[in-house]
């Protein structure tokens, strides 16, 4: 007995019909072939009016536009959306508003039955004939399958799609056979080189390096940098530089941290191997060095999206996080952060784990230059609230450090350490003196997206761009 079948047969066996929900994960990021492959087969079968619940959507998924135009897809749920599909949505290309959740809010709503999944399609670089699967091996290895685990455990029907079969039983599976209904073997599930979406290199920009150094100064002065320290950072150039400077400081001070968290890069792997952390808790690998590490190092642990950040879980890793370094496209004088839209109001991203980690960490830090493309990053009011200002402690720029007035202890600590602490409004005025005050983009009356906070409440709505 085995569960091997074709993609068409798996779809038919699932009982997928008009109006249902299908789900996908994004661990192959911009190298993913599975979502487009599945949606083309579904369209060929004449099934329509579907909801697509994808943990993130990248430019490679732009063929969804045609499925939306043709009525195959009528609703999108996601945590992040790249610019190509984001422009289509921003210009009113879809009748039903997109629902943006967070990386913790998505598994919460799946597990609570708020966003039930009829059929989950799971891209798996390695699988056996019964559906045991992992991302740690195979020619398309992507590392952790953390975002797919809630889908597999809660969907009515689960299809594993792989391009490399292993003998049964597959050792150390991420998802096990009792959750899987069908296994489909295809030529290729994607290009693992597409995992590396955006920069995963330390910036050489003097401004970025200056901000990274200041960020580490803030961490050092905060009182949190001691044995047992836990940390998460993103894959941007300045964030990676901060990780490098932090590693140097931890080694100099002989500080042994507890864990690094989140989407794991090769720089966090370096910190693990240098003895800065006891373990890495990995919901997603951001580069191929992280993929190699999770395959071989038992201290590099795969975790589910629920364990990573779900506010409904009895506990999640973000609740034990000391420091997180995050980015922003905009931040306002109340420390609200926008990571959903660009300066023209077009969708270019999403919260992902931004608001989850900001809510959970003891110290939530934004690193951002005062200006981008001759536009100030600090504004009176962000176009979209992705993360509420109540969760943000500090903004680090090349011209100074702004601390949320609610965090009086941090202000005292940073000033006592001699750091350049300034009011966020002063930074705003300084930037505007360089750039002028930009005109706000003009939005239409059509609601194109809802930003849903990690606890399920509506945080913001986004309207179309005229």
């Amino acid at each position: 007995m085995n569960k091997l079948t074709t993609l068409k047969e798996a779809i038919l066996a699932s009982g997928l019909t008009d109006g249902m929900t299908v789900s996908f994960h994004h661990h192959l990021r911009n190298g993913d072939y599975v979502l487009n492959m599945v949606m083309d087969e579904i369209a060929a079968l004449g099934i329509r009016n579907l909801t697509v619940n994808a943990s993130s959507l990248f430019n490679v998924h732009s063929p969804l536009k045609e499925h939306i135009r043709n009525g195959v897809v009528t609703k999108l749920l996601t945590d992040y959306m790249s610019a190509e599909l984001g422009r289509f949505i921003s210009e009113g290309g879809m009748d039903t508003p997109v629902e943006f959740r967070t990386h913790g809010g998505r598994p919460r709503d799946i597990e609570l039955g708020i966003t039930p999944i009829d059929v989950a399609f799971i891209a798996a670089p390695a699988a056996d004939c019964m559906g045991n699967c992992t991302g740690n091996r195979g020619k398309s290895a992507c590392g952790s399958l953390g975002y797919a685990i809630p889908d597999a455990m809660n969907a009515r029907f689960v299809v594993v799609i792989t391009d490399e079969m292993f003998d049964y039983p597959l050792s150390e599976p991420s998802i096990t056979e009792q959750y899987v209904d069908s296994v489909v073997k295809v030529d290729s599930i994607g290009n693992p080189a597409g995992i590396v979406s955006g920069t995963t290199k330390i910036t050489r920009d003097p401004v970025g390096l200056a901000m990274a150094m200041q960020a580490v100064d803030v961490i050092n002065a905060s009182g949190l940098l001691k044995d047992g320290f836990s940390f998460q950072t993103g894959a941007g150039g300045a964030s990676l530089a901060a990780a490098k400077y932090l590693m140097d400081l931890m080694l100099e001070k002989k500080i042994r941290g507890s864990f690094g968290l989140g989407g794991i890069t090769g720089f966090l792997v370096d910190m693990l191997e240098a003895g800065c952390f006891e373990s890495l808790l990995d919901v997603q690998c951001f580069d191929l060095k992280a993929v190699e590490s999770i395959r071989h190092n038992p201290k590099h642990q795969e975790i589910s999206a629920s364990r990573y950040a779900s506010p409904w879980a009895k506990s999640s890793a973000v609740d034990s996080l000391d420091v997180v370094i995050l980015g922003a496209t905009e931040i306002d004088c109340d420390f609200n952060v926008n990571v959903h839209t660009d300066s023209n109001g077009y969708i270019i991203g999403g919260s992902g784990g931004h608001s989850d980690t900001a809510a959970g960490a003891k110290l939530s830090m934004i690193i951002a230059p005062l200006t981008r493309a001759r536009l100030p990053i600090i504004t009176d009011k962000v176009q979209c609230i992705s993360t509420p200002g109540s969760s943000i402690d500090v903004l680090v720029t090349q011209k100074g450090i702004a601390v949320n007035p609610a965090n009086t202890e941090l202000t005292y600590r940073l000033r006592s350490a001699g750091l350049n602490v300034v009011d966020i409004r002063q930074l705003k005025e300084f930037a505007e003196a360089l750039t002028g005050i930009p005109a706000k983009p003009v939005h239409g009356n059509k609601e194109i997206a809802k930003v849903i906070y990690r606890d399920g409440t509506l945080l913001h709505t986004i309207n179309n761009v005229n």
Side-chain angles (χ1 to χ4, degrees), residues 376-398:
I377 195 168
I378 304 171
T379 183
D380 288 320
K381 184 179 180 181
V382 290
Q383 297 177 59
C384 172
I385 299 176
S386 307
T387 296
S390 57
S391 295
I392 302 299
D393 295 293
V394 62
L395 166 65
V396 174
T397 75
Q398 74 272 34

Side-chain angles (χ1 to χ4, degrees), residues 174-202:
S174 305
I175 295 166
T176 50
E177 61 189 290
Q178 74 267 29
Y179 300 112
V180 179
D181 296 280
S182 294
V183 180
V184 175
K185 170 69 165 62
V186 297
D187 291 336
S188 178
I189 61 169
N191 177 5
I195 294 170
V196 186
S197 300
T199 179
T200 54
K201 296 181 179 178
I202 290 178

Side-chain angles (χ1 to χ4, degrees), residues 57 75-78 81 89 94 96-100 347 447-452:
L57 294 166
K75 190 171 185 179
L76 291 177
L77 314 180
T78 191
M81 181 182 291
I89 298 298
M94 197 167 192
T96 305
V98 174
E99 292 183 7
F100 281 103
I347 293 170
E447 185 180 297
I448 55 146
K450 298 178 180 181
V451 178
I452 299 171

Side-chain angles (χ1 to χ4, degrees), residues 320-362:
S320 298
L321 191 60
D322 285 321
V323 175
V324 63
I325 295 178
L326 301 164
T329 58
E330 288 182 311
I331 184 168
D332 66 27
C333 293
D334 293 319
F335 288 81
N336 298 304
V337 175
N338 176 18
V339 290
H340 278 84
T341 68
D342 66 9
S343 58
N344 295 314
Y346 285 89
I347 293 170
I348 57 162
S351 182
H354 196 288
S355 57
D356 296 310
T357 52
K362 295 182 181 71

Side-chain angles (χ1 to χ4, degrees), residues 242-252 267 270-271 274 276:
K244 173 63 170 65
Y245 295 144
L246 180 62
M247 180 173 74
D248 293 342
L249 182 61
M250 290 178 73
L251 292 174
E252 177 189 331
F267 291 94
D270 289 342
M271 294 180 81
C276 295

